[in-house]
Amino acid sequence: MKKNIGKFLSLVLTISILVLVVFKQTEGNSKLIERVEADDLKNQVLALNQQKSFSPYLGKTFTGFKEALGFKESQNDYFRVNQYGYLGKYQFGKSTLKMIGIHHPQLFLSNPELQEKAFIANTQRNKWVLRKDIKRFNGKYIKGVKVTESGILAAAHLAGPGGVKKFLRSYGENGFADANGTTIRYYMKKFSGYDTSIIKPLKKVKVKYESA
């Protein structure tokens, strides 16, 4: 009788241990699954955030213009720094930022709202510098490309207003290409025909922001 009770207790103890081991494994697997699912969700969110593309439904509006330009420059990535040190969605150089009153590149890079303000300010300044050339060349053809205000402003973002002046006044003979081989002519063609009338030409424009 005592022998049978001993066997029974031994069997109960063995079963209890097995149940405990299975429970711990199940609990561990559950936590692992939860962790994997959480990581997977995080990766999906990051992937969606990285899938920034220009929407054709914006059409030829000014919003369409700046989003198309931002996509060409950086795929609309506010936090991109290229190999030449150009910053953000619109790939600004530090010298251009200083010109419009921004002296903290890292703050600029971390602040999408500031980047949008900088784009507007710089475009206003470029439009003022090029106001006579816009009036003179708008609607004409240079090197097979129809000149439009938006094409001129996009080209000025690429090459600076001085470079665009030289291109227009030489009827395309005095060209420009950036470090990647992108030309004024290409930008004039790619960004032709957008409505940029909302941009008012300003001679002196500074971006106001709170520095850290």
Side-chain angles (χ1 to χ4, degrees), residues 119-170:
F119 179 76
I120 298 297
N122 190 55
T123 306
Q124 288 177 316
R125 177 183 173 275
N126 288 341
K127 190 169 182 178
W128 185 87
V129 175
L130 291 162
R131 65 197 185 285
K132 294 180 181 178
D133 297 275
I134 291 171
K135 185 176 181 180
R136 176 182 173 186
F137 291 99
N138 190 38
K140 294 183 179 180
Y141 284 81
I142 294 179
K143 295 293 184 179
V145 175
K146 185 178 181 180
V147 178
T148 64
E149 179 178 291
S150 62
I152 289 175
L153 294 178
H157 186 81
L158 173 74
V164 176
K165 275 188 178 184
K166 293 177 182 178
F167 177 86
L168 292 172
R169 295 179 186 186
S170 68

Side-chain angles (χ1 to χ4, degrees), residues 53-69 71 76 89 194-195:
S53 59
F54 168 65
S55 170
Y57 299 107
L58 295 173
K60 291 292 185 175
T61 63
F62 176 71
T63 300
F65 170 73
K66 72 182 186 66
E67 293 305 307
L69 186 57
F71 186 75
N76 287 335
K89 175 180 175 178
Y194 286 88
D195 182 5

Side-chain angles (χ1 to χ4, degrees), residues 139 175 200:
K200 305 304 178 186

